[in-house]
């Protein structure tokens, strides 16, 4: 299957700082990318959907100003957690899909710890 | 609306036992896709299978088999002769053409004991 690379796999940051997570589709053009958050022992919760060149669509309850999503090219989307707090600590996973394909390919995930 | 229900939160079996993980879904669309993913402790999602709504044929892949029944909106996953390496969280997911995103069930944590 197609490859989606997510970076970094782990990050520890101080409260109040911002953290950027990258999601790249390596061998296909991702017209749509999804960002999920997973709390310990919980399911994946969709945070937002982004289409290349458009503003992201956020799910209810997700703060747009806190979780900035940029999908500037067909191979890259970024999630920036701004002014991080310990409660933002979580596992974040991206997935990408090309236009005519219904299967979404997942990145390896990023474990964020805010101290 | 789209919804995926995995009623079994945790299952524990002894090695070599067969185990079935249940998945029930809801969608108004007639065209949709169902998935199963495995999430080992490392956190990475491992794709297991995709099935479209027009293909109700059951599938077998080694020790894994899937039973798709549109009449009951279920897409159950069976592991035959389970092994310790099968221990993981398994997620069922749904994507439909009307909704751009993939929705996940709550996941079932499978523990296979030696």
């Amino acid at each position: 299957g197609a490859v989606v690379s997510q970076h970094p796999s782990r990050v520890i940051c101080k409260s109040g700082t911002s953290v950027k997570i990258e999601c790249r589709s390596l061998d296909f053009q991702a017209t749509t990318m999804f960002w999920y958050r997973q709390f310990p022992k919980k399911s994946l919760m969709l945070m937002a959907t982004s289409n290349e060149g458009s503003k992201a669509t956020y799910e209810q309850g997700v703060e747009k100003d806190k979780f900035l999503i940029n999908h500037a090219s067909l191979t890259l989307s970024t999630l920036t957690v701004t002014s991080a707090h310990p409660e933002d600590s979580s596992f974040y996973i991206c997935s990408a899909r090309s236009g005519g394909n219904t299967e979404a390919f997942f990145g390896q995930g990023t474990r964020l710890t805010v101290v | 609306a789209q919804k995926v229900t995995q009623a079994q939160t945790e299952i524990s079996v002894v090695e070599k036992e067969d185990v079935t993980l249940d998945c029930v879904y809801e969608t108004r669309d007639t065209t949709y896709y169902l998935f199963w993913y495995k999430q080992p402790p490392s956190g990475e999602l491992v794709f297991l299978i995709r099935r479209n709504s027009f293909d109700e044929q059951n599938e077998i892949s080694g020790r894994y088999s899937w039973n798709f029944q549109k009449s009951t909106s279920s897409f159950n996953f069976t592991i035959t002769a389970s092994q310790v390496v099968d221990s993981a969280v398994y997620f069922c997911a749904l994507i439909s053409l009307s909704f751009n995103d993939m929705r996940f069930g709550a996941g079932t944590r499978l523990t296979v004991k030696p």
Side-chain angles (χ1 to χ4, degrees):
Chain A
V3 179
V4 174
S5 176
Q6 188 173 339
H7 178 81
S9 57
R10 290 179 179 271
V11 59
I12 300 173
C13 71
K14 291 184 177 180
S15 285
T17 62
S18 294
V19 173
K20 181 184 283 189
I21 303 170
E22 291 188 349
C23 181
R24 292 181 185 273
S25 56
L26 299 186
D27 52 2
F28 68 101
Q29 293 186 326
T31 51
T32 307
M33 285 192 171
F34 308 93
W35 287 94
Y36 294 85
R37 180 174 181 177
Q38 186 180 27
F39 292 98
K41 297 187 178 182
K42 297 292 184 183
S43 186
L44 285 76
M45 300 301 296
L46 181 67
M47 297 174 67
T49 303
S50 72
N51 294 298
E52 185 264 337
S54 304
K55 286 186 178 179
T57 301
Y58 289 80
E59 294 297 300
Q60 197 169 12
V62 177
E63 297 176 61
K64 301 178 185 182
D65 296 331
K66 181 163 191 59
F67 298 100
L68 300 179
I69 292 171
N70 183 284
H71 190 168
S73 78
L74 284 171
T75 59
L76 174 66
S77 177
T78 60
L79 166 67
T80 302
V81 182
T82 62
S83 187
H85 285 245
E87 55 264 32
D88 298 327
S89 299
S90 195
F91 192 63
Y92 294 87
I93 304 180
C94 72
S95 73
R97 201 172 79 180
S98 63
N101 194 338
T102 53
E103 183 174 350
F105 301 95
F106 286 84
Q108 303 95 321
T110 298
R111 192 166 299 282
L112 170 64
T113 303
V114 184
V115 298
Chain B
Q2 294 194 131
K3 186 179 177 182
V4 178
T5 301
Q6 292 179 258
Q8 304 150 308
T9 307
E10 296 191 30
I11 299 177
S12 181
V13 299
V14 177
E15 211 170 17
K16 297 184 183 177
E17 281 185 27
D18 298 347
V19 59
T20 295
L21 309 182
D22 298 333
C23 174
V24 175
Y25 63 92
E26 290 177 36
T27 178
R28 293 180 185 172
D29 286 334
T30 56
T31 302
Y32 52 89
Y33 295 79
L34 296 161
F35 301 79
W36 275 95
Y37 289 89
K38 175 182 180 180
Q39 188 178 41
S42 61
E44 191 169 340
L45 283 174
V46 178
F47 169 79
L48 296 178
I49 191 172
R50 177 182 70 173
R51 172 66 75 228
N52 75 58
S53 54
F54 300 108
D55 181 4
E56 284 194 75
Q57 236 183 358
N58 291 331
E59 182 158 336
I60 298 174
S61 176
R63 296 184 297 108
Y64 295 169
S65 62
W66 290 270
N67 185 330
F68 176 29
Q69 303 224 343
K70 286 179 75 171
S71 59
T72 55
S73 297
S74 65
F75 186 43
N76 297 338
F77 172 33
T78 298
I79 301 175
T80 304
S82 60
Q83 300 175 2
V84 174
V85 293
D86 296 328
S87 297
V89 180
Y90 291 86
F91 290 100
C92 181
L94 165 72
I95 193 166
S96 69
L97 295 188
S98 295
F99 293 86
N100 203 21
D101 59 274
M102 181 179 283
R103 299 284 169 163
F104 285 81
T108 298
R109 182 176 298 276
L110 174 65
T111 302
V112 182
K113 299 177 181 177

